[in-house]
Amino acid sequence: MNMFCFQCQETLKNTGCVMAGICGKSADVATLQDLLIYLLKGISVYGEKARKLGHNDEEVDIFVARGLFTTITNVNFDTDRLVKLIEQAFKAREKIENIFLNAYKEKHGEDFTGKLPEPARWKSGDGIRSYLEKGRNVGVLAEKNEDIRSLKQLLTYGLKGIAAYADHAYILGKKDDSIFAFLQEALEATTREFITVDELVNLVIKAGEMGVTTMALLDEANTSRYGNPEPTEVYTGTRAKPAILISGHDLLDMEEILQQTAGKGVDIYTHGEMLPANAYPAFKKYDHFVGNYGTSWFNQQKEFDKFNGAIIMTTNCIQKPKESYKNRIFTTGLVAWPDVAHISDREFGKPKDFSLVIEKALEQGALEEIPGKKIMIGFARNSLMASADKIISAVKSGKIKRFVVMAGCDGRYKNREYYTEVAKNLPEGTVILTAGCAKYRYNMLDLGDIDGIPRVIDAGQCNDSYSLAYIALQLVKAFEADSINDLPISFDIAWYEQKAVTVLLALLYLGVKGIRLGPTLPAFLSPNVAKVLVEKFDIKLIGTVEEDIDAMMLGK
Ligand code: SF4
Ligand code: SF3
């Protein structure tokens, strides 16, 4: 075994990647990521203690969040960058250790002499060799108790999603200290030798609560800066002009690229999870913002190969670039692939400099013109609320019989055809609510509308699942129901990476029962932990299309 990782839905044989990742992650990258997480735990040991004494350090707080985000599936594949992050982690640990020790001495009048867990103490030899050696012993399997391991990983993956959303909000100038505090409280808890199953379950539910808080914060960050998404028809073809394709979730990158390309004769298209950018008023005003090209992440090799322009990846999910486009794809932010040009971070108060990407787009010349259809997007919280009366009366009159939430991620395997078939075969009177890249399984189908309400309501990125939860809670009020479970809503969620774990935990925290999850249950759920989730929340694995549709229509 060279490595062990089972954090995503496509893990080898639904047990764990052991030689290299199915995602393309090398054993070294996986091992360095394990060491980085280990050091983040060490930082959090001090961070949590310092906070209890009224101290924290914002640089350390955001470093912990970014460290977690870096290890999400399909973000960072570059050993050099991970080595740098590990070096920074040692520095951050030292910084927060000193803050804690000083605060302790100030409060107690003596030095701290308590015992600290190993991640807070371990010192390395220099360089990658010693990192790899240590990383091999501190990964997932270091925890021997299967159920504790399962809960610790479920918690850690929930934290990764929270961290990613918190970082997106932070980049846009919004922060909430309770989120940073929780990331460190929970990471510290995973270092405790005698932590119980109950304590971990409570932390997992709290991660769901913090997931809601963080998605709400990001929603506020996005909408306060770019306006509320509006129902928008998005063109999916291409025009014969030089162009840049933007993928990922980072809206500030989107904004800056639109600004820097204005009047340069370069068109802008979104890909994957950037599609929702087309619905924001602040972006729609640009004439050179043409629409969306392509589908979800796993099709990128095929789709980028055919897209003749420059491409930029702002968050996950990057795949191994093919030679045909390796010289015209760029990464930025936390995304990294060895030997792929990287656009550096912002210097304080200044935008990123995307001129290399723009030059590349111009150098490439015009795209081939390919006609495409138009798809409707932009049904986030605000625009859904604007149609609330219409939706409520359609439910009361029986025209809408059921909502099916089909949010989450897309993935490469054939069993995901299930979601296309469910969408195609749901009876009239059903409305699909979606967010995340899962939508690409059915957003090109012509499913029509119900009195002007589209049968696929697309709220946006995976973090915009917040809008779906928000609207469900508004319907609870409108129908004077006791909970979401009393509404005609079913949940048929697709997961792939760790942000979807956060969304799932958020739904559990909101009390949603009977969620269908697929295309497989997470490999990191031990039989006992899976049993708890089934007993407490009635979570179920997807079945056949027919059985599931019949059951959902009966509210089961
Ligand atoms: Fe395997 Fe997924 Fe981990 Fe990649 S992220 S190594 S595919 S489990
Ligand atoms: Fe998709 Fe990667 Fe999860 Fe944000 S782009 S949903 S998989």
Side-chain angles (χ1 to χ4, degrees):
M1 195 186 284
N2 293 343
M3 59 176 277
F4 186 82
C5 180
F6 62 175
Q7 67 174 356
C8 82
Q9 191 274 323
E10 297 191 352
T11 193
L12 183 71
K13 297 185 182 153
N14 209 31
T15 31
C17 295
V18 289
M19 299 307 283
I22 299 279
C23 57
K25 187 156 93 176
S26 69
D28 283 359
V29 165
T31 308
L32 293 171
Q33 289 186 350
D34 286 346
L35 183 67
L36 180 60
I37 295 279
Y38 174 81
L39 292 171
L40 296 177
K41 290 178 183 179
I43 295 170
S44 300
V45 167
Y46 297 114
E48 191 256 352
K49 289 191 194 315
R51 243 194 195 80
K52 278 193 188 143
L53 296 171
H55 293 261
N56 72 300
D57 181 275
E58 194 166 318
E59 215 178 74
V60 172
D61 291 340
I62 195 66
F63 181 80
V64 171
R66 290 189 177 149
L68 285 164
F69 188 176
T70 297
T71 68
I72 286 183
T73 302
N74 294 340
V75 175
N76 187 339
F77 292 84
D78 187 355
T79 49
D80 290 350
R81 292 252 282 160
L82 281 160
V83 165
K84 281 199 193 102
L85 282 163
I86 287 169
E87 284 160 1
Q88 286 168 13
F90 280 115
K91 288 197 185 117
R93 194 180 69 177
E94 200 181 320
K95 187 174 187 197
I96 193 71
E97 178 184 5
N98 286 330
I99 291 173
F100 162 65
L101 292 177
N102 291 336
Y104 186 93
K105 193 159 184 181
E106 200 174 290
K107 171 134 200 239
H108 299 279
E110 59 184 14
D111 286 338
F112 174 79
T113 52
K115 189 168 171 347
L116 292 168
E118 210 215 358
R121 292 181 282 114
W122 182 71
K123 300 250 185 325
S124 80
D126 257 352
I128 186 162
R129 262 198 35 231
S130 102
Y131 300 160
L132 287 171
E133 205 181 298
K134 184 68 180 173
R136 283 187 203 105
N137 296 311
V138 296
V140 171
L141 299 178
E143 173 58 63
K144 298 295 174 223
N145 179 309
E146 191 191 24
D147 298 328
I148 298 282
R149 181 199 304 151
S150 172
L151 285 166
K152 281 185 177 175
Q153 294 312 314
L154 174 59
L155 176 61
T156 308
Y157 304 150
L159 298 180
K160 291 186 182 192
I162 293 171
Y165 295 152
D167 184 44
H168 284 303
Y170 190 84
I171 288 172
L172 293 170
K174 299 275 178 203
K175 63 184 175 192
D176 173 342
D177 189 61
S178 71
I179 298 167
F180 292 142
F182 178 68
L183 292 179
Q184 292 171 41
E185 175 198 335
L187 283 172
E188 185 277 339
T190 64
T191 68
R192 280 190 239 145
E193 211 175 326
F194 300 109
I195 192 150
T196 63
V197 164
D198 284 350
E199 285 172 306
L200 281 167
V201 169
N202 287 339
L203 282 165
V204 166
I205 300 301
K206 184 147 179 221
E209 182 183 356
M210 294 315 295
V212 177
T213 306
T214 317
M215 285 192 277
L217 182 73
L218 180 52
D219 178 286
E220 193 199 327
N222 289 339
T223 55
S224 62
R225 188 165 174 125
Y226 304 119
N228 279 299
E230 300 163 344
T232 304
E233 271 199 323
V234 180
Y235 183 54
T236 61
T238 48
R239 307 198 297 201
K241 278 192 160 187
I244 297 173
L245 184 61
I246 311 178
S247 194
H249 302 66
D250 194 307
L251 295 188
L252 186 56
D253 289 338
M254 183 79 211
E255 179 189 0
E256 291 175 354
I257 296 172
L258 281 168
Q259 281 166 351
Q260 291 174 31
T261 45
K264 298 245 168 79
V266 173
D267 281 347
I268 302 296
Y269 297 83
T270 55
H271 183 267
E273 273 283 73
M274 198 54 92
L275 163 64
N278 288 275
Y280 283 91
F283 302 147
K284 286 169 74 169
K285 66 177 190 211
Y286 292 97
D287 290 340
H288 65 299
F289 186 14
V290 179
N292 187 72
Y293 167 85
T295 57
S296 47
W297 63 271
F298 68 95
N299 285 321
Q300 68 187 251
Q301 289 178 333
K302 201 170 65 199
E303 292 171 353
F304 292 179
D305 186 73
K306 287 208 192 107
F307 185 92
N308 184 45
I311 301 154
I312 178 136
M313 306 299 292
T314 69
T315 48
N316 55 336
C317 286
I318 191 170
Q319 294 291 283
K320 184 175 191 218
K322 284 174 73 171
E323 287 307 319
S324 61
Y325 62 84
K326 200 168 177 185
N327 72 343
R328 53 188 171 86
I329 186 170
F330 298 80
T331 57
T332 190
L334 295 171
V335 193
W337 194 283
D339 304 325
V340 164
H342 187 82
I343 302 302
S344 332
D345 284 343
R346 294 175 185 86
E347 284 171 30
F348 187 74
K350 286 195 195 152
K352 282 186 191 172
D353 179 1
F354 289 102
S355 50
L356 282 178
V357 188
I358 300 168
E359 272 164 35
K360 182 56 79 179
L362 288 167
E363 190 187 305
Q364 286 294 117
L367 298 188
E368 182 191 349
E369 189 165 331
I370 305 171
K373 64 195 293 183
K374 287 186 171 166
I375 51 174
M376 268 308 265
I377 65 159
F379 295 94
R381 180 172 56 82
N382 192 61
S383 53
L384 276 174
M385 282 312 288
S387 324
D389 289 346
K390 214 166 153 190
I391 295 174
I392 290 166
S393 68
V395 175
K396 287 194 171 148
S397 69
K399 284 192 174 160
I400 294 182
K401 294 189 178 58
R402 183 152 284 274
F403 298 96
V404 182
V405 176
M406 293 176 70
C409 312
D410 200 0
R412 77 188 94 209
Y413 290 123
K414 205 172 153 43
N415 53 7
R416 295 206 183 232
E417 282 169 5
Y418 162 94
Y419 295 102
T420 313
E421 290 305 311
V422 168
K424 272 190 193 159
N425 290 295
L426 276 168
E428 274 177 34
T430 47
V431 170
I432 295 170
L433 300 172
T434 192
C437 63
K439 66 172 73 87
Y440 285 105
R441 289 281 162 180
Y442 42 80
N443 69 348
M444 292 283 196
L445 302 174
D446 291 314
L447 294 178
D449 63 277
I450 299 174
D451 286 353
I453 303 163
R455 287 197 57 228
V456 177
I457 291 186
D458 180 358
Q461 297 179 335
C462 46
N463 43 288
D464 295 312
S465 299
Y466 172 71
S467 275
L468 302 180
Y470 180 90
I471 201 77
L473 292 172
Q474 299 309 311
L475 290 177
V476 169
K477 279 192 210 153
F479 288 101
E480 292 173 1
D482 287 336
S483 78
I484 295 177
N485 302 309
D486 298 323
L487 297 174
I489 298 188
S490 302
F491 289 80
D492 199 0
I493 305 287
W495 83 285
Y496 168 58
E497 36 81 16
Q498 298 76 53
K499 289 187 264 179
V501 175
T502 308
V503 173
L504 176 71
L505 296 181
L507 293 175
L508 298 185
Y509 164 73
L510 292 172
V512 177
K513 299 233 158 60
I515 296 173
R516 282 185 169 71
L517 186 63
T520 52
L521 284 185
F524 55 80
L525 296 181
S526 68
N528 285 332
V529 172
K531 205 168 135 218
V532 171
L533 290 182
V534 172
E535 279 165 8
K536 262 190 139 168
F537 301 103
D538 191 25
I539 282 194
K540 39 202 156 218
L541 175 64
I542 58 167
T544 67
V545 173
E546 295 73 29
E547 278 164 14
D548 285 2
I549 290 179
D550 288 350
M552 287 193 284
M553 293 312 288
L554 292 170
K556 290 185 191 152

